[in-house]
């Protein structure tokens, strides 16, 4: 590889625009050009026509209708989302084998090795956009740069339905005028903290004192954001990523921070996460919960266990204790808008280390105890029933099923990407602690 090839902008980030809403407009031409939202009680996705009015994902449906009285709600065609998302990524595969898919509607691609076949990176990006539009009828934005982080930012700048190429030598000038909110990992809470010290652009962040950033955001997040602000991002594409965590989340709108709300929701989330762990025979040691309040501030807590777990009830109880700890430390918060559970530090083997039946109070939380084994056996029986008769055949209580009705599971399974991305790129908006459940 020549020096010019090594320094060329060859990383593409392709992102389908307002994907779920765009699919609905594609399948129902009468919706084109109109403000639509996928969902009902909670907005799951919004078209660009709705976003103009301030409608966004995660917003309560009532608030969305106040902002946009003529908003049209649609239920969602989940199998079509999967089909069209797969087809779009397949277009990237036709140009290069180096594709890292990070969600149903976005992926990175490194085209350094195929320019002799298809032309320079910007021509490849244009060809991809033409094919996605012609073959699928969907708009897609692409950013091209030397690093993953900058390519992703470029694709956001390119929206809607555009292409932005950041050439070597222009990167810092391009980056430093942009708002910090475009950086991967800067959410509302981090953005607000940075604004308190007068940092609103990436350039202001880059020129900030490193010690101040570390005190404000924590050592790891401060150092990482400072590096990204100068376009220092050594990450390579991971074409065969092994899952390091399993997670699920539930957008609640604005609900009271009470046990009657969070207990059934956590049970439902634990059911979804633990069933995936059992299906892959990959129990995990670290349980993390995320609680987002009505003002969009989020708090994350975690605990690392002596033995890996994959039992639903066990995971739900540990998550409940963590959430209660978050709420106890934030007593002034009266409403919650999102709950999430993830399990990380996954292990390859599902073998359990048996423990003596000592009759301890926390024996139900030990996978190898008599109670722990009984819980795991009940889970496996439920798994077998669901495999034969479907997911709705049996569950863990009416309360959990009731909690699931506001957002269909098909959409959740497609849309859940934030937790794994957060674990891969932990930069702010996280307040972690560890300890016993």
């Amino acid at each position: 590889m020549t020096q010019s090839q090594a320094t060329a902008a060859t990383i593409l980030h392709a992102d389908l625009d307002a994907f779920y809403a765009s699919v609905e407009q594609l399948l129902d031409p009468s919706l084109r050009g109109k403000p639509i939202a996928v969902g009902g009680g909670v907005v799951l996705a919004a078209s660009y026509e709705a976003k103009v009015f301030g409608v966004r994902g995660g917003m309560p449906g009532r608030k969305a209708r106040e902002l946009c009285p003529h908003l049209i709600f649609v239920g969602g065609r989940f199998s079509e989302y999967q089909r069209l998302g797969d087809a779009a990524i397949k277009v990237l595969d036709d140009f290069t084998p180096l594709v890292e898919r990070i969600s149903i509607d976005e992926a990175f691609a490194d085209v350094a090795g195929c320019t002799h076949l298809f032309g320079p990176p910007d021509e490849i990006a244009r060809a991809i956009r033409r094919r996605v539009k012609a073959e699928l009828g969907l708009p897609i934005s692409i950013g091209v740069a030397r690093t993953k982080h900058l390519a992703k930012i470029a694709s956001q700048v390119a929206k809607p339905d555009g292409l932005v190429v950041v050439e070597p030598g222009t990167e810092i000038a391009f980056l430093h005028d942009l708002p910090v909110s475009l950086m991967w990992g800067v959410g509302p809470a981090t953005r607000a903290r940075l604004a308190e010290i007068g940092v609103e652009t990436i350039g202001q962040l880059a020129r900030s004192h490193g010690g101040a950033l570390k005190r404000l955001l924590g050592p790891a997040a401060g150092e990482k954001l400072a590096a990204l602000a100068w376009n220092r991002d050594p990450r390579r594409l991971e074409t065969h990523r092994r899952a390091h965590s399993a997670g699920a989340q539930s957008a609640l709108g604005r609900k009271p921070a009470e046990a009657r709300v969070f207990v059934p929701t956590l049970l439902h989330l634990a059911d979804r996460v633990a069933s995936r762990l059992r299906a892959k025979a990959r129990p995990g040691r670290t349980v993390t919960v995320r609680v987002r309040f009505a003002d969009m501030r989020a708090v994350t807590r975690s605990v690392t266990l002596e033995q890996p777990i994959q039992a639903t009830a066990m995971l739900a109880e540990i998550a409940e204790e963590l959430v209660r700890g978050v709420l106890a430390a934030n007593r002034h918060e009266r409403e919650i808008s999102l709950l999430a559970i993830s399990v990380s530090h996954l292990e390859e083997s599902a073998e359990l280390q048996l423990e003596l039946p000592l009759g301890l109070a926390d024996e139900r939380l030990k996978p190898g105890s008599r109670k722990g084994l009984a819980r795991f056996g009940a889970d496996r029986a439920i798994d077998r029933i669901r495999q034969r008769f479907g997911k709705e055949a049996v569950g863990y209580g009416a309360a959990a099923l009731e909690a699931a009705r506001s957002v269909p599971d098909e959409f959740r399974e497609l849309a859940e990407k934030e937790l794994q991305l957060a674990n891969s790129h932990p930069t702010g908006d996280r307040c972690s602690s560890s300890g016993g459940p």
Side-chain angles (χ1 to χ4, degrees):
M1 179 179 291
T2 67
Q3 182 64 24
S4 62
Q5 288 175 318
T7 58
T10 61
I11 296 178
L12 279 59
H13 179 264
D15 193 355
L16 290 157
D17 297 324
F19 178 53
Y20 304 107
S22 294
V23 171
E24 296 299 330
Q25 291 174 323
L26 173 69
L27 298 177
D28 184 352
S30 69
L31 297 175
R32 295 175 187 174
K34 297 178 181 179
I36 71 167
V38 180
V42 175
V43 176
L44 305 176
S47 67
Y48 279 103
E49 295 86 354
K51 290 180 179 181
V52 170
F53 293 88
V55 178
R56 64 182 188 277
M59 176 179 288
R62 182 172 59 182
K63 176 65 174 177
R65 288 188 177 90
E66 291 174 359
L67 294 172
C68 183
H70 50 296
L71 184 66
I72 301 171
F73 274 90
V74 295
R77 310 188 202 193
F78 311 107
S79 61
E80 290 299 301
Y81 300 158
Q82 187 71 66
R83 178 181 69 82
L84 290 166
D86 291 346
I89 303 302
K90 177 63 169 60
V91 173
L92 297 179
D93 292 335
D94 289 345
F95 287 88
T96 174
L98 300 179
V99 175
E100 177 185 345
R101 187 174 186 175
I102 59 175
S103 74
I104 188 176
D105 59 349
E106 61 179 318
F108 289 104
D110 190 338
V111 298
C114 60
T115 55
H116 62 292
L117 293 175
F118 304 110
D122 61 320
E123 290 186 12
I124 294 174
R126 290 187 180 92
I128 290 170
R129 294 187 66 243
R130 284 195 299 269
R131 280 192 53 186
V132 171
K133 189 70 172 181
E135 298 173 16
L136 305 178
L138 292 171
I140 187 169
S141 295
I142 298 181
V144 184
R146 286 195 295 178
T147 65
K148 292 173 70 174
H149 182 251
L150 190 54
K152 183 171 173 64
I153 287 180
S155 73
Q156 306 312 302
V157 174
K159 288 180 176 294
D161 196 17
L163 167 65
V164 169
V165 179
V166 186
E167 296 289 356
T170 69
E171 296 151 323
I172 299 302
F174 170 81
L175 194 59
H176 280 188
D177 287 336
L178 298 174
V180 292
S181 58
L182 289 181
M183 298 183 73
W184 203 344
V186 176
T190 298
R191 186 173 69 243
R193 288 198 292 272
L194 290 171
E196 291 174 359
I197 62 171
V199 173
E200 295 184 349
T201 68
I202 297 175
Q204 290 171 333
L205 175 64
R207 292 185 291 271
S208 298
H209 189 275
L213 289 178
K214 291 179 181 180
R215 287 192 297 272
L216 184 70
L217 306 175
E223 183 177 350
K224 188 177 185 68
L225 284 180
L228 293 176
W230 288 105
N231 197 35
R232 293 195 291 267
D233 181 11
R235 293 172 300 159
R236 296 179 178 272
L237 267 67
E238 300 179 41
T239 57
H240 300 288
R241 299 203 318 181
R242 179 80 164 152
H244 299 296
S245 67
Q249 65 181 26
S250 178
L252 303 175
R254 294 181 63 167
K255 294 290 180 66
E258 300 174 359
R260 63 181 177 83
V261 173
F262 65 76
V263 170
T265 301
L266 291 173
L267 178 57
H268 180 66
L269 294 175
D271 180 15
R272 288 158 49 203
V273 173
S275 63
R276 291 182 214 158
L277 297 177
R278 294 192 297 272
K280 300 294 184 181
R282 296 198 69 197
R285 289 181 178 273
T286 300
V287 178
T288 302
V289 299
R290 184 180 184 217
V291 181
R292 192 177 71 195
F293 299 108
D295 62 357
M296 304 303 288
R297 184 175 69 91
V299 177
T300 303
R301 282 199 177 185
S302 63
V303 59
T304 298
L305 308 168
E306 293 181 2
Q307 284 201 53
I309 66 169
Q310 55 186 333
T312 295
M314 196 175 297
L315 177 57
E317 289 170 9
I318 293 171
E320 181 184 335
E321 290 300 314
L322 290 172
V323 169
R324 289 184 183 275
V326 170
L327 297 179
N330 295 270
R331 295 186 184 278
H332 60 287
E333 298 287 357
R334 302 295 183 185
E335 294 180 320
I336 51 180
S337 61
L338 178 142
L339 288 171
I341 297 175
S342 70
V343 178
S344 56
H345 293 113
L346 306 185
E347 300 196 355
E348 300 293 335
S349 173
E351 294 181 3
L352 289 174
Q353 179 180 343
L354 300 182
E355 300 182 40
L356 294 175
L358 301 177
L360 300 177
D362 64 347
E363 192 172 299
R364 72 188 194 287
L365 299 180
K366 294 183 178 295
S369 68
R370 182 183 302 169
K371 292 181 180 178
L373 290 171
R375 286 180 156 191
F376 181 71
D379 286 334
R380 295 302 294 165
I382 289 176
D383 292 340
R384 287 192 291 270
I385 292 172
R386 287 174 169 175
Q387 288 169 3
R388 183 171 181 180
F389 300 105
K391 290 183 179 180
E392 302 302 321
V394 63
Y396 290 85
L401 296 178
E402 181 68 26
R405 289 176 185 167
S406 61
V407 180
D409 273 351
E410 296 94 332
F411 188 94
R412 296 177 190 269
E413 291 170 1
L414 295 180
E416 283 163 359
K417 58 186 178 182
E418 291 85 355
L419 282 174
Q420 289 198 9
L421 289 176
N423 285 330
S424 299
H425 312 280
T427 59
D429 281 14
R430 297 168 63 84
C431 175
S432 299
S433 62
S434 60

